[in-house]
């Protein structure tokens, strides 16, 4: 791909339309990458030192905003105005993060627990989307400085477990940063791509992506087939990562100095030096067996063996999560073809060795583990730009999408694990005569009752012309675009009235809940089926009761008094039966009613047809 530099003087905008950049918007660090001479590369900062941009935003005096290394320096000096880990807040409500609020050194608030969180800095309130946009803008500037041309199109990665709200928030952040986000890609998919896995459509593979970053751990099991990356399962720990390794070393250093944790709090600058030394020690121990450093003029020595002993339980926790992920995917460790290492913390030899032993095979680790996701994003971007012919890569929906139907039942329209993008629809009708408005409530999840699933949003289709129940034809379409963003469109086909929404966040969901939803659907399958059966029987009975009343009214002149009375009795019996929790009781009452009324209905029909042929009106109260 040829990059043509621009001449700003004559106002031309250059050929940036050819270039789509790849961005890893991480919890701890973010990176930007692009394809240079057919090779994905991450972009270094102006100082040429590092490809990592710490995902930290500092709000200084005079409206000064810094991102990255400069902001990181403010973490201890000016904690209230230094925002880190904003990724943890994306698409979340206050309720979602209430329990972990103590983790953040800055102020998170919301007046309404159901709505999305905001961060307070000085007198201003920032949404996680705005804060992420600052990081994305810094990445945009970084690559524009290197390429000497504007870029406006990007692919951004997100964890595989991110839900629609979190993905939408990420997209919005891109837009706010002046980026046209062409695709949101799952991080494990990007990591696999960086290693060229999945680029051969003929090859089918089962891979595990082990991602241990600064503060989070994710394990994803992916099935790759014909260019489709299917997430079979995800697992992990949202509070386990390199930061915990740092804390382990801090404890060791304090022990050697004969100090306690209080010393860190008492003297902030001492605390900061110990923390910096801890991370430095950890990184050094990834390459050598011993490390010697000084703090406050005193020498400390830490051996790799001692460090490993300390963090062994943490590593074990990641392996337990791997076990769970495999179980959820219904696979075993030896069925995994490839294991990809992602995240700076996988540089720790103990981590690498433990994972390799667990899966019983060497791991993919020759690329920079903190760069692989960004590199893969650049490759995905290149594919989207059409530079790698005949390749079409797709992710899939992690949970089913559907709407609520009568009785609170979930009607799935796009099943879980469907290919993305996707479009599916179904026709519905009204259950009440003359119904003018219809509420369409959209849910995500696997359970049969919507109350157990997650509500994504709702809207009302208004202006349906009054018609008897069952006559309106309401077509509902689910359009899931390539980023997993959902548009729901409802249209009454007879009148053409139409309404649609792009799913907007109502409230968030945390990762555990997401995984739990899948597990619940399995453990409650039996019970759910029973409930669904009962509700469906009740719905059928209710429709029949309405039809029965109408039948009596319309055929008043045709039916004998005896027939009318018998039908009424059976209708009352059916109404009584709907109160039962045994679906068979309801089905039985339905059957008895149907058996009795079917011949009557046939006769009524014949009479009506005859009458119609002779131009007579036999309906209703007018009588004979
Ligand atoms: P995230 O995905 O959460 O943004 P990264 O993948 O960038 O995070 O990982 C950051 C973590 O990796 C930090 O805890 C950092 O200390 C750790 N790390 C980086 N290099 C090394 C190394 N050589 N040895 C051990 N840990 C490392
Ligand atoms: Mg990461």
């Amino acid at each position: 791909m040829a990059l043509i530099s621009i001449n700003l003087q004559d106002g031309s905008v250059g050929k940036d339309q050819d270039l789509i950049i790849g961005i890893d918007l991480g919890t701890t660090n973010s990176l930007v990458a692009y394809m240079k001479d057919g090779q994905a590369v991450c972009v270094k900062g102006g100082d040429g030192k590092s490809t990592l941009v710490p995902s930290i935003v500092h709000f200084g005096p005079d409206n000064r905003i810094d991102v990255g290394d400069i902001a990181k320096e403010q973490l201890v000096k000016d904690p209230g105005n230094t925002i880190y880990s904003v990724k943890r807040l994306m698409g979340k409500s206050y309720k979602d993060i209430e329990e972990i609020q103590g983790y953040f050194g800055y102020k998170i608030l919301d007046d309404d627990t159901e709505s999305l969180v905001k961060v307070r800095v000085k007198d201003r309130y920032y949404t996680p989307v705005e804060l992420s946009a600052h990081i994305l803008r810094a990445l945009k500037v970084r690559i524009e400085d290197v390429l000497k041309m504007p870029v406006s199109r990007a692919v951004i990665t997100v964890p595989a477990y991110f839900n629609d709200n979190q993905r939408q928030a990420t997209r919005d952040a891109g837009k706010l940063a002046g980026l046209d986000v062409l695709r949101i890609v799952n991080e494990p998919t990007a990591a696999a791509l960086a290693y060229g896995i999945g680029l051969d459509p003929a090859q089918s593979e089962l891979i595990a992506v082990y991602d241990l970053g600064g503060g989070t751990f994710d394990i994803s099991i992916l099935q790759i087939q014909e260019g489709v990356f299917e997430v079979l399962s995800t697992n992990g720990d949202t509070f386990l990562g390199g930061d915990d390794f740092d804390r382990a070393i801090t404890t060791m250093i304090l022990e050697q100095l004969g100090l306690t944790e209080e010393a860190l709090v008492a003297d902030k600058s001492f605390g900061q030096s110990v923390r910096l030394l801890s991370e430095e020690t950890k990184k050094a121990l990834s390459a050598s067996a011993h490390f010697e450093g000084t703090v406050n003029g005193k020498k400390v020595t830490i051996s790799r063996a001692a460090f490993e002993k300390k963090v062994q339980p943490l590593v074990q926790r990641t392996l337990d999560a791997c076990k769970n992920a495999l179980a959820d995917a219904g696979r075993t460790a030896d069925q995994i073809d490839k294991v990809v290492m992602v995240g700076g913390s996988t540089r720790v030899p103990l981590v690498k060795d433990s994972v390799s032993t667990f899966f019983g095979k060497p791991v993919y680790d020759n690329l920079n583990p903190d760069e692989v996701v960004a590199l893969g994003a650049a490759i995905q971007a290149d594919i989207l730009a059409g530079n790698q012919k005949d390749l079409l890569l797709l992710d899939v929906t992690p949970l089913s999408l559907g709407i609520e139907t009568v009785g609170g039942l979930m009607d799935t329209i796009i099943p879980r694990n469907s290919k993305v993008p996707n479009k599916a629809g179904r026709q519905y009708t009204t259950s009440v005569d003359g119904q003018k408005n219809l509420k369409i409530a959209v849910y995500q999840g696997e359970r049969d009752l919507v109350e157990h699933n997650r509500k994504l949003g709702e809207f009302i289709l208004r202006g349906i012309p009054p018609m008897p129940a069952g006559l309106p034809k309401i077509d509902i379409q689910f359009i899931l675009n390539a980023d997993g963003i959902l548009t729901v469109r409802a249209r009454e086909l007879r009148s053409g009235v139409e309404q649609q929404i792009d799913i907007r966040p109502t409230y968030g969901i945390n990762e555990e809940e997401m995984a739990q939803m899948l597990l619940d659907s399995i453990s409650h399958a039996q019970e759910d089926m029973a409930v669904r059966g009962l509700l469906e029987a009740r719905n059928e009975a209710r429709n029949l009761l309405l039809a029965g009343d109408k039948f009596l009214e319309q055929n008043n002149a045709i039916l004998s008094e005896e027939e009318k009375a018998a039908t009424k009795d059976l209708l009352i019996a059916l109404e009584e039966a709907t109160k039962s929790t045994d679906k068979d009781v309801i089905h039985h009452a339905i059957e008895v009613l149907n058996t009795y009324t079917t011949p009557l209905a046939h006769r009524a029909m014949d009479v009506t047809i005859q009458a119609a042929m002779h131009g007579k009106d036999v309906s209703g109260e007018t009588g004979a």
Side-chain angles (χ1 to χ4, degrees):
M1 171 180 41
L3 300 174
I4 298 168
S5 65
I6 55 153
N7 179 350
L8 287 168
Q9 270 82 27
D10 72 15
S12 77
V13 286
K15 271 214 83 201
D16 80 304
Q17 285 308 306
D18 274 356
L19 182 70
I20 306 173
I21 58 173
I23 290 176
D24 170 6
L25 185 60
T27 310
T28 317
N29 296 304
S30 298
L31 301 92
V32 58
Y34 73 108
M35 290 301 265
K36 184 184 183 185
D37 308 323
Q39 197 76 34
V41 288
C42 288
V43 180
K44 283 183 181 157
D47 57 6
K49 269 201 222 146
S50 173
T51 55
L52 303 180
V53 177
S55 306
I56 301 175
V57 184
H58 176 250
F59 294 85
D62 308 322
N63 297 323
R64 190 193 158 89
I65 297 173
D66 288 306
V67 173
D69 289 311
I70 305 173
K72 193 175 179 178
E73 288 167 16
Q74 301 295 326
L75 265 183
V76 174
K77 285 185 229 160
D78 191 16
N81 298 320
T82 311
I83 315 302
Y84 56 91
S85 280
V86 65
K87 190 175 180 178
R88 294 185 186 278
L89 303 177
M90 290 294 263
K92 296 289 178 99
S93 70
Y94 186 73
K95 217 166 95 193
D96 295 324
I97 56 108
E98 213 173 358
E99 279 171 32
I100 57 162
Q101 212 206 346
Y103 164 88
F104 302 94
Y106 46 89
K107 199 144 186 64
I108 300 170
L109 29 106
D110 215 293
D111 22 278
D112 174 1
T113 53
E114 292 277 301
S115 67
L116 300 176
V117 294
K118 289 180 213 76
V119 171
R120 187 164 140 202
V121 185
K122 295 169 183 164
D123 299 329
R124 279 207 55 191
Y125 296 86
Y126 297 90
T127 61
V129 167
E130 289 173 287
L131 295 164
S132 297
H134 282 302
I135 299 167
L136 290 171
R137 225 174 269 126
L139 295 169
K140 183 175 184 277
V141 167
R142 172 178 279 216
I143 191 163
E144 285 176 341
D145 281 353
V146 167
L147 299 178
K148 310 253 182 307
M149 65 175 215
V151 293
S152 62
R153 303 197 301 167
V155 163
I156 304 180
T157 58
V158 296
Y161 58 73
F162 255 30
N163 64 33
D164 291 346
N165 291 346
Q166 292 167 301
R167 285 164 199 261
Q168 180 67 47
T170 306
R171 250 172 96 89
D172 290 346
K175 202 192 269 176
L176 204 56
L179 290 169
D180 191 357
V181 183
L182 298 187
R183 180 77 71 93
I184 297 283
V185 180
N186 288 335
E187 286 163 13
T189 299
L193 281 178
Y195 279 104
I197 302 168
L199 289 176
D200 177 3
Q203 210 172 2
S204 156
E205 284 175 300
L206 189 65
I207 70 158
V209 180
Y210 179 103
D211 182 348
L212 191 61
T216 59
F217 168 63
D218 300 314
I219 172 78
S220 312
I221 309 294
L222 263 58
Q223 172 83 61
I224 307 172
Q225 222 159 2
E226 290 165 31
V228 178
F229 289 67
E230 181 184 359
V231 181
L232 295 184
S233 67
T234 63
N235 209 298
D237 190 325
T238 47
F239 285 92
L240 178 59
D243 298 345
D244 297 289
F245 293 178
D246 295 350
R247 275 191 286 273
I249 293 187
T250 298
T251 313
M252 295 165 85
I253 292 175
L254 288 174
E255 273 166 19
Q256 286 193 21
L257 297 176
L259 294 170
T260 61
E261 297 269 335
E262 277 145 45
L264 301 176
V265 193
D267 182 349
K268 264 193 189 174
S269 88
F270 171 72
Q272 175 70 344
S273 348
V274 173
R275 268 184 217 107
L276 289 176
L277 179 66
S278 299
E279 191 179 1
E280 192 192 341
T281 307
K282 173 185 74 176
K283 289 183 180 172
L285 289 178
S286 291
S288 54
H290 284 275
F291 183 75
E292 217 176 85
T294 48
V295 60
N296 272 9
K298 284 185 194 140
K299 236 174 58 179
V300 285
T301 30
I302 311 259
S303 73
R304 185 192 282 172
F307 167 67
E308 289 184 345
K309 202 171 155 216
K310 249 297 179 319
V311 300
Q312 166 58 37
L314 299 176
V315 177
Q316 185 54 47
R317 268 165 63 194
T318 70
L319 300 182
D320 293 342
C322 291
K323 239 175 255 163
N324 292 336
L326 283 170
D328 287 353
R331 308 296 152 105
T332 55
D334 58 303
Q335 287 177 318
I336 300 289
D337 298 309
K338 285 167 183 161
V339 182
V340 176
M341 299 299 260
V342 182
S345 301
T346 59
R347 286 214 184 79
V348 173
L350 175 71
V351 170
K352 221 181 272 189
D353 296 343
S354 306
V355 175
S356 173
T357 308
F358 177 87
F359 285 100
K361 51 188 67 73
V363 296
Y364 277 65
D365 67 347
N366 41 339
L367 290 175
N368 228 328
D370 34 39
E371 290 186 351
V372 281
V373 170
L375 295 175
I379 293 169
Q380 170 73 74
D382 199 45
I383 294 167
L384 284 179
N387 296 322
Q388 304 202 15
K389 293 276 174 283
D390 307 327
L391 265 178
L392 182 67
L393 300 172
L394 295 168
D395 274 318
V396 297
T397 56
L399 291 169
S400 300
L401 297 163
I403 63 165
E404 175 178 0
T405 55
V406 186
L409 281 173
M410 169 87 174
D411 200 11
T412 294
I413 295 185
I414 297 182
R416 145 183 149 73
N417 281 335
S418 296
K419 275 185 199 178
V420 174
N422 202 314
K423 187 167 180 268
R426 194 164 300 161
Q427 276 190 18
Y428 297 86
T429 190
T430 51
S431 57
V432 179
D433 283 341
Q435 192 172 335
K436 283 188 243 150
N437 298 329
L438 184 74
K439 188 174 88 181
I440 290 128
V442 183
Y443 285 84
Q444 181 179 46
E446 310 310 312
R447 300 286 299 275
D448 280 346
L449 288 181
V450 291
E451 65 179 90
H452 296 134
N453 288 332
R454 194 169 160 268
K455 190 174 192 172
L456 293 176
E458 66 174 32
F459 64 103
I460 294 171
L461 179 64
R462 293 179 202 278
I464 303 169
M467 282 181 253
L471 265 194
K473 276 194 178 153
I474 293 148
D475 181 63
I476 299 200
Q477 291 292 330
F478 273 42
I479 302 129
L480 191 59
N481 75 13
D483 308 326
I485 308 297
L486 181 68
T487 301
V488 178
R489 183 178 303 153
R491 194 177 140 85
E492 203 291 303
L493 297 178
R494 292 175 196 273
S495 60
V497 289
E498 189 177 311
Q499 192 76 41
Q500 74 171 54
I501 49 162
D502 288 323
I503 290 302
R504 288 285 158 216
T506 48
Y507 56 87
I509 181 175
N510 68 39
E511 297 70 51
E512 291 79 21
E513 281 175 297
M514 182 103 166
Q516 198 56 47
M517 279 167 77
L518 282 178
L519 293 178
D520 281 351
S521 72
I522 299 161
S523 59
H524 294 277
Q526 205 70 356
E527 161 197 332
D528 275 3
M529 258 163 60
V531 174
R532 176 177 279 272
L534 177 63
L535 286 174
E536 279 173 354
R538 279 193 185 147
N539 287 344
E540 194 184 337
R542 215 161 283 139
N543 288 337
L544 212 54
L545 287 170
L546 287 173
D549 288 339
K550 218 182 274 177
F551 176 73
L552 285 175
E553 201 177 295
Q554 284 171 349
N555 301 296
N556 193 31
I558 299 161
L559 302 171
S560 72
E561 286 311 312
E562 206 181 318
E563 285 167 337
K564 278 186 252 180
T567 306
K568 267 181 202 153
D569 284 346
L570 290 176
L571 285 170
I572 290 165
L574 177 59
E575 187 147 30
E576 204 51 42
T578 58
K579 290 173 190 154
S580 164
T581 52
D582 184 350
K583 71 174 182 348
D584 293 338
V585 170
I586 304 172
H587 281 306
H588 181 72
I590 290 172
E591 205 180 297
V592 174
L593 177 70
N594 276 339
T595 311
Y596 182 75
T597 53
T598 304
L600 303 188
H602 282 304
R603 205 178 76 220
M605 182 76 84
D606 289 343
V607 174
T608 312
I609 291 169
Q610 292 267 316
M613 281 162 58
H614 295 99
K616 276 187 240 161
D617 180 14
V618 290
S619 72
E621 286 84 22
T622 45

